[in-house]
Amino acid sequence: MPEGHTLHRLARLHQRRFAGAPVAVSSPQGRFSDSAAAVDGRVLRRTSVWGKHLFHHYVGGPIVHVHLGLYGTFTEWARSADTPLPEPVGQVRMRMVGAEYGTDLRGPTVCEVIDEGQVSDVVARLGPDPLRNDADPAWAWARIAKSRRPIGALLMDQTVIAGVGNVYRSELLFRHRIDPYRTGQRISDAEFNAAWTDLVALMKIGLRGGKIIVVHPEHDHGPPSYRPGRPRTYVYRRAGEPCRVCGATIHTATLDGRNVFWCPTCQV
Ligand SMILES: [Zn+2]
């Protein structure tokens, strides 16, 4: 599942590609046709993100709300006025066509047209987004400090912090030597503050470069990444392999339905 930095990158891309001009919006697949008609031909005013929720704000008020879920993707293409649009491939829920670019959305969990009030309802259910300038970490800390749930579960709970996914969750806890099964109540405020500051910095690196880079330069050697072409991780998808810091075997377990990874020696 894409993590928050991916949504912020998409919002910036869509802003560059489409904002300030009319956008032809359609639903080749048909499932979004009625809603697409409500924004088709309108000028895209701006884009915004909160956590993993992407919003396209159109002139006149309608807002397209997208959540990619596990499988959603946008595919972009360049175009010119004198060449025909590419045939939709697969189940294209929403197609956006501007003067120079088009993009096809496939497989989202949510793709709907809503109004400002409904955007507020969505956002009201979300914790602070580390990549937003208005993020208030005190709000997340208040939830974590009184919780008996494991910190590894709290970090993935979008109502606590919005935008963190499986990679940042496992890697952040490793970088701060925190066992994912330690409860929120047993996290100190110094630990939370250091982890939040680090999370903001790491997600900004992800936002700038499009890759999740979490390994300190002095540890960036030894066993390769979990997948060719990806940056190394400390623990994510490294179960059974040696810890890059202490050599102990990395563990994995299922926590709230998602695999968490950690070093049983480094993390307490
Ligand atoms: Zn270790």
Side-chain angles (χ1 to χ4, degrees):
M1 181 181 293
E3 307 209 14
H5 69 291
T6 301
L7 278 301
H8 282 268
R9 282 176 69 82
L10 280 170
R12 290 181 175 193
L13 180 68
H14 294 164
Q15 177 95 23
R16 279 203 306 278
R17 298 301 199 220
F18 300 110
V23 185
V25 182
S26 62
S27 181
Q29 170 203 52
R31 276 182 65 182
F32 180 65
S33 292
D34 291 350
S35 300
V39 290
D40 183 30
R42 288 181 188 255
V43 172
L44 179 66
R45 202 157 50 81
R46 66 185 181 93
T47 63
S48 66
V49 175
W50 194 302
K52 297 180 182 180
H53 297 259
L54 170 64
F55 303 100
H56 293 157
H57 304 255
Y58 286 90
V59 166
I63 297 156
V64 174
H65 169 216
V66 173
H67 191 294
L68 293 176
L70 273 176
Y71 305 110
T73 54
F74 281 98
T75 310
E76 182 182 271
W77 73 88
R79 66 176 295 255
S80 61
D82 52 4
T83 54
L85 298 176
E87 279 298 310
V89 176
Q91 298 294 312
V92 177
R93 185 79 57 86
M94 176 174 71
R95 168 170 280 192
M96 300 171 69
V97 181
E100 295 174 12
Y101 292 92
T103 188
D104 286 342
L105 170 63
R106 294 182 187 82
T109 298
V110 176
C111 177
E112 60 180 359
V113 173
I114 59 178
D115 61 25
E116 282 290 351
Q118 291 167 302
V119 171
S120 300
D121 292 343
V122 171
V123 165
R125 296 194 293 268
L126 299 172
D129 173 345
L131 285 174
R132 286 181 62 96
N133 292 331
D134 60 3
D136 178 8
W139 205 92
W141 174 235
R143 297 279 309 275
I144 290 169
K146 67 181 184 199
S147 177
R148 291 192 175 88
R149 293 170 62 204
I151 185 65
L154 290 164
L155 282 180
M156 293 283 278
D157 182 340
Q158 301 296 300
T159 70
V160 176
I161 297 176
V164 175
N166 217 5
V167 189
Y168 282 126
R169 177 260 295 263
S170 289
E171 295 295 309
L172 185 72
L173 291 174
F174 179 89
R175 285 168 63 97
H176 294 270
R177 304 290 187 261
I178 297 170
D179 186 307
Y181 285 90
R182 212 194 310 164
T183 62
Q185 286 179 332
R186 299 192 56 227
I187 305 293
S188 73
D189 56 353
E191 283 175 319
F192 173 79
N193 289 335
W196 174 270
T197 302
D198 195 29
L199 178 62
V200 171
L202 290 173
M203 290 185 75
K204 282 185 175 170
I205 291 169
L207 173 57
R208 274 200 303 276
K211 286 183 178 158
I212 297 180
I213 294 172
V214 290
V215 173
H216 294 292
E218 63 267 34
H219 302 137
D220 197 5
H221 57 77
S225 173
Y226 60 92
R227 192 186 289 171
R230 297 288 176 90
R232 284 186 172 85
T233 54
Y234 281 111
V235 291
Y236 178 72
R237 287 216 204 166
R238 295 196 64 242
E241 302 210 26
C243 174
R244 297 190 192 282
V245 173
C246 76
T249 301
I250 302 300
H251 284 206
T252 188
T254 306
L255 180 54
D256 280 4
R258 304 288 302 277
N259 290 332
V260 65
F261 302 85
W262 76 100
C263 173
T265 306
C266 289
Q267 295 173 254
V268 293

